[in-house]
Amino acid sequence: MDMSDAVIVKSTRLKSVVWNDFDRIKKGDKCIAVCRHCKKKLSGSSTSGTSHLRNHLIRCQRRSNLGIPQLFAAREKKKEGTYLNLDQEQKKDEAFNLVNIRFEQEQTKDDIINYGSGNFDQRRSRFDLARMIILHGYPLDMVEHVGFRVFVKNLQPLFELVTSERVEADCMEIYGKEKQKVKDMLGKLPGKISLTVDMWASLDGTEYLCLTAHYIDESWQLNKKILNFIVVDSSHTEDKHSEIIMESLMDWDIDRNLFSMTFDSYSTNDNVVFRIRDRLSQNKLLSCDGQLFDVRCAANVINMMSQDALEALCGMTDKIRGSIRYVKSSEIIQEKFNSIVHQVGGESRRCLCLDNPLQWNSTYVMVEIALEYRDAFALLQENDPVYAMCPSDVEWDRVNIITSYLKLFVGVTNVFTRFKSPTANLYFPELCEVYSQLNEWCKNADDYISSLALKMRSKFEEYWMRCSLSLAVAVMLDPRFKMKPVDYYYAQFFGSGAPDRISDVFECVKTLYNEHSTCLAYVDQGLAWQVGGSSRLPGSGRDLRDRLTGFDKFLHETTEIDGTKSDLDKYLEEPLFPRNAEFDILNWWKVHAPRYPILSMMARNVLGIPVSKVSIDSTFNTGGRVLDRDWSSMNPATIQALMCAQDWIRSELES
């Protein structure tokens, strides 16, 4: 082509990075793009796009010495406000179209770069980066770290590096889209939802209220999802906390589908529970008039009693801790102690160890092992004038007794955390054993021990008064036990008063069963109306429910008179299911739901109650849950988005 009269076109409209390596030449009515490296001529028409130019640059032999990293650097310099320097960086302020986690967006030509035999998607890669940061809890500003930028440039030079502000915006977009998915899912659940309420803190003392939903889904799997992670002022009253929780329930539209709420076993939560329960009860939204609504964390009450035991051990624990430090202070003393151990014949396979005061079970392990060297410590004190901190015989005896208490608490707590998703039926037998042991410990002749036992039992009985009904109903729905554990343990605890207590449990079971029977009838009626094509005004279903309440009660009573057995009657009359380690109660109810349609609805709601809300990683912590330092420095809306989205993404990956 004759280029004698060709003119190089300089236009501000040429935004693509490829024009750093091409000259756009106009000859007559045609535009040509000429590679500055190999002088190859390609179409430069505005209707031709730039993909063919990008492909040429990747393959251009004469440009190979420069390489793609230079293309990347040129691309960054081309965009105004996006020059990325390892020492200094300016803010990016152009608008971005964000994508969701499933990459359902429409991709534009500028987002997809032909790269060899495949495509590079800028927005998808940016979104993967935000998702990774959420999932693993990385700090947002990691994208501005020198090492990360060098790594990304070498890995994929075409990726346009982003600022922490851009990543934060992407994370907020992920949160918004994932929240809508969770909200839609909660609205379609076949059963009710139970909530746990946790308090978190940041290193600077800021407090956060965390609401988590627990439910059993259509496939009979127990699930949980964080709904809110809200900053609260320490000066807020119980009324303010209850208001925050109610606003969250209505925001998620689950206030009409709530079954129970689980709080820590502190009296400060009493007024919060009362206000929420009172508000929901006014609209008749709670089952059994709210008798099962207030649940306190079982692991929390065990932890509180353990702290009482450790407090009683405090002086003796200091002596044991000091004794272990002394023995380990030098090789000479260690050898001397080992010789004494061999001499007294008390060799143990376990080595002395110090505890982590932030993990109360480690203190139990330290003391339990030290007890095995009791005689050796006593003889060491006789033969070593420097060592004078050995506990006395009375102290060792008390350590031995209190350690047995801690051993029970550790064992019960391990049962609570043995399963990733523990159902409510697991707790009744374990907590009954704790109650039984507390009663025995109170009879100890040593006033020091008996007063400790009385203090612990007082805390437990306060918990038992609130939660025993929920625990008993849950164990009744375990086909391996049914009402038998209630009969057995209540006879031990309450003597002649046991029949009345057992009757209270059974009356609650029947009331709950009747309520679910009524609900099933309305579900069936609703389906029938839909099939028949009938139309009804909003709220007419609730009005009908109110009008037919008396009729449903009459129907239930006459059915019993007619001799027709209910689901509940058939379930309780059948033999107990054999106990084995592999038993899966949710799978059992899934299989038997057609046989017990009403009772299975009830089981779905009751077994989903989170009787214990302590996570496995913080089971034995003596302090509260602490927010990550990097995330805690951000604004409250971003913190909530990151915490919730992280939980949802992890749940999605594990499912």
Side-chain angles (χ1 to χ4, degrees):
M1 179 184 293
D2 182 12
M3 303 294 290
S4 60
D5 58 345
V7 178
I8 297 178
V9 179
K10 298 290 186 180
S11 174
T12 57
R13 297 181 60 188
L14 301 178
K15 299 290 187 180
S16 176
V17 68
V18 299
W19 295 111
N20 290 305
D21 294 270
F22 283 91
D23 288 320
R24 192 169 189 243
I25 298 175
K26 185 173 183 181
K27 180 176 174 59
D29 295 333
K30 294 184 178 180
C31 289
I32 300 169
V34 179
C35 178
R36 294 178 180 176
H37 308 288
C38 67
K39 305 307 179 184
K40 184 172 181 177
K41 302 176 183 62
L42 301 168
S43 173
S45 172
S46 59
T47 60
S48 300
T50 58
S51 295
H52 64 299
L53 303 181
R54 295 174 191 269
N55 289 337
H56 170 74
L57 290 176
I58 293 172
R59 296 190 296 267
C60 182
Q61 295 296 324
R62 295 195 178 184
R63 187 178 171 276
S64 59
N65 291 334
L66 292 174
I68 295 177
Q70 282 67 27
L71 169 64
F72 184 86
R75 176 180 183 174
E76 291 174 332
K77 293 177 182 178
K78 180 66 178 172
K79 293 199 173 200
E80 183 179 354
T82 62
Y83 178 74
L84 301 178
N85 188 285
L86 297 181
D87 299 317
Q88 183 179 7
E89 178 180 350
Q90 298 176 353
K91 302 295 182 182
K92 300 182 180 182
D93 58 1
E94 76 246 26
F96 276 73
N97 292 322
L98 303 177
V99 298
N100 67 26
I101 207 164
R102 294 298 187 185
F103 313 118
E104 296 166 350
Q105 78 285 1
E106 290 187 7
Q107 298 162 327
T108 64
K109 290 182 179 180
D110 288 337
D111 293 319
I112 302 176
I113 302 173
N114 292 326
Y115 186 61
S117 59
N119 292 328
F120 170 66
D121 188 334
Q122 166 68 26
R123 290 197 296 178
R124 174 168 179 166
S125 297
R126 197 184 77 220
F127 203 81
D128 283 341
L129 174 60
R131 180 180 170 91
M132 177 194 73
I133 288 173
I134 292 173
L135 180 62
H136 298 291
Y138 298 144
L140 299 187
D141 62 359
M142 69 168 286
V143 298
E144 298 172 356
H145 295 172
V146 172
F148 177 78
R149 290 181 173 275
V150 172
F151 170 73
V152 172
K153 281 188 177 183
N154 290 329
L155 182 68
Q156 176 49 273
L158 295 179
F159 179 69
E160 179 184 339
L161 288 169
V162 295
T163 64
S164 57
E165 288 83 2
R166 179 62 51 74
V167 172
E168 183 175 356
D170 288 352
C171 292
M172 294 300 292
E173 178 71 8
I174 291 173
Y175 167 71
K177 291 183 178 295
E178 289 297 304
K179 179 178 180 179
Q180 188 58 51
K181 287 164 57 178
V182 173
K183 197 169 187 178
D184 293 342
M185 178 275 299
L186 293 177
K188 299 175 183 177
L189 287 177
K192 289 184 175 289
I193 298 167
S194 291
L195 290 182
T196 55
V197 182
D198 292 288
M199 295 303 298
W200 287 57
S202 63
L203 295 177
D204 64 1
T206 304
E207 295 183 345
Y208 300 87
L209 187 149
C210 179
L211 287 180
T212 307
H214 300 251
Y215 57 90
I216 296 175
D217 61 20
E218 289 181 341
S219 58
W220 286 89
Q221 297 296 315
L222 184 58
N223 296 276
K224 62 179 181 179
K225 291 189 183 297
I226 294 178
L227 301 184
N228 290 93
F229 198 84
I230 308 167
V231 63
V232 293
D233 194 319
S234 57
S235 64
H236 283 170
T237 62
E238 292 90 347
D239 189 47
K240 181 63 177 178
H241 281 185
S242 61
E243 181 182 330
I244 291 172
I245 293 173
M246 282 303 306
E247 288 175 355
S248 298
L249 297 181
M250 289 184 286
D251 174 54
W252 284 95
D253 197 23
I254 59 174
D255 54 308
R256 303 179 65 85
N257 200 33
L258 196 61
F259 192 78
S260 72
M261 292 191 73
T262 304
F263 292 79
D264 283 329
S265 297
Y266 301 123
S267 58
T268 51
N269 291 316
D270 293 351
N271 289 331
V272 178
V273 176
F274 174 79
R275 286 179 170 85
I276 296 173
R277 181 170 53 190
D278 183 60
R279 187 164 174 181
L280 295 175
S281 296
Q282 289 176 2
N283 297 321
K284 300 181 179 179
L285 299 176
L286 297 179
S287 300
C288 285
D289 294 326
Q291 293 184 80
L292 307 180
F293 177 74
D294 182 9
V295 180
R296 301 303 169 100
C297 178
N300 178 245
V301 74
I302 296 294
N303 187 52
M304 290 170 62
M305 292 190 295
S306 299
Q307 294 308 310
D308 288 339
L310 290 172
E311 184 180 343
L313 275 177
C314 184
M316 293 168 273
T317 303
D318 289 341
K319 289 184 177 182
I320 291 172
R321 195 178 286 118
S323 298
I324 295 172
R325 287 199 181 104
Y326 180 74
V327 168
K328 292 180 174 291
S329 63
S330 71
E331 291 185 6
I332 296 175
I333 298 175
Q334 180 71 66
E335 290 176 1
K336 181 178 181 179
F337 183 76
N338 291 341
S339 176
I340 292 174
V341 170
H342 183 71
Q343 181 181 341
V344 299
E347 291 190 45
S348 172
R349 294 183 179 179
R350 297 191 292 176
C351 296
L352 292 170
C353 62
L354 290 170
D355 63 331
N356 174 5
L358 299 179
Q359 296 279 325
W360 66 264
N361 62 321
S362 72
T363 303
Y364 154 71
V365 171
M366 178 189 73
V367 174
E368 184 188 44
I369 295 174
L371 276 167
E372 299 175 8
Y373 295 90
R374 171 178 176 172
D375 295 337
F377 279 119
L379 190 56
L380 177 65
Q381 183 162 269
E382 292 178 8
N383 293 279
D384 189 338
V386 178
Y387 173 60
M389 61 188 74
C390 181
S392 66
D393 288 340
V394 172
E395 288 177 322
W396 277 119
D397 290 340
R398 289 174 175 173
V399 167
N400 188 38
I401 294 172
I402 297 174
T403 301
S404 69
Y405 299 174
L406 291 172
K407 183 177 183 178
L408 174 64
F409 295 154
V410 169
V412 170
T413 303
N414 284 332
V415 171
F416 294 169
T417 57
R418 181 188 307 163
F419 303 95
K420 184 179 179 182
S421 300
T423 47
N425 60 297
L426 299 172
Y427 296 87
F428 185 83
E430 298 296 330
L431 292 171
C432 283
E433 284 298 320
V434 171
Y435 198 5
S436 179
Q437 287 298 317
L438 285 168
N439 289 332
E440 289 298 316
W441 297 340
C442 289
K443 301 174 185 177
N444 195 288
D446 186 342
D447 290 341
Y448 188 85
I449 298 297
S450 61
S451 62
L452 168 62
L454 286 168
K455 182 180 180 181
M456 293 190 296
R457 189 174 70 175
S458 174
K459 285 185 172 67
F460 185 85
E461 286 181 336
E462 184 177 350
Y463 166 83
W464 186 260
M465 179 182 66
R466 299 177 188 278
C467 304
S468 60
L469 190 57
S470 297
L471 298 170
V473 173
V475 80
M476 186 281 301
L477 290 165
D478 189 328
R480 301 169 298 171
F481 298 110
K482 301 184 182 179
M483 287 292 292
K484 297 301 182 182
V486 180
D487 297 339
Y488 172 71
Y489 285 108
Y490 277 26
Q492 295 182 33
F493 299 156
F494 308 116
S496 60
D500 290 338
R501 303 268 188 156
I502 296 170
S503 178
D504 291 341
V505 173
F506 194 66
E507 285 301 316
C508 179
V509 169
K510 289 197 296 183
T511 300
L512 196 59
Y513 176 83
N514 292 338
E515 289 177 355
H516 282 79
S517 176
T518 303
C519 289
L520 183 60
Y522 295 135
V523 171
D524 292 340
Q525 290 172 11
L527 291 174
W529 291 337
Q530 292 175 17
V531 172
S534 300
S535 61
R536 52 193 176 99
L537 296 174
S540 60
R542 178 174 176 80
D543 296 338
L544 181 62
R545 176 176 181 175
D546 293 337
R547 292 197 300 271
L548 294 179
T549 300
F551 171 75
D552 288 320
K553 183 178 180 182
F554 166 77
L555 187 63
H556 175 72
E557 292 173 349
T558 54
T559 299
E560 290 184 340
I561 294 173
D562 292 341
T564 303
K565 291 185 178 180
S566 66
D567 283 8
L568 181 60
D569 295 328
K570 290 186 292 184
Y571 170 78
L572 292 175
E573 289 175 2
E574 291 181 352
L576 298 180
F577 192 80
R579 296 202 303 273
N580 60 73
E582 292 77 27
F583 178 73
D584 184 342
I585 190 170
L586 295 183
N587 185 64
W588 190 93
W589 279 106
K590 179 180 180 180
V591 172
H592 291 81
R595 177 172 173 77
Y596 308 112
I598 299 172
L599 203 59
S600 65
M601 287 179 59
M602 179 173 154
R604 190 190 296 273
N605 294 331
V606 173
L607 296 177
I609 296 175
V611 177
S612 176
K613 63 186 183 65
V614 176
S615 62
I616 295 176
D617 59 338
S618 60
T619 301
F620 297 101
N621 285 0
T622 56
R625 304 196 70 178
V626 180
L627 186 63
D628 176 81
R629 179 181 59 187
D630 295 309
W631 283 11
S632 63
S633 62
M634 294 178 288
N635 68 73
T638 303
I639 294 174
Q640 173 168 257
L642 293 173
M643 291 296 291
C644 293
Q646 182 185 72
D647 179 71
W648 301 337
I649 293 173
R650 285 178 177 175
S651 298
E652 183 179 321
L653 293 175
E654 293 171 0
S655 61

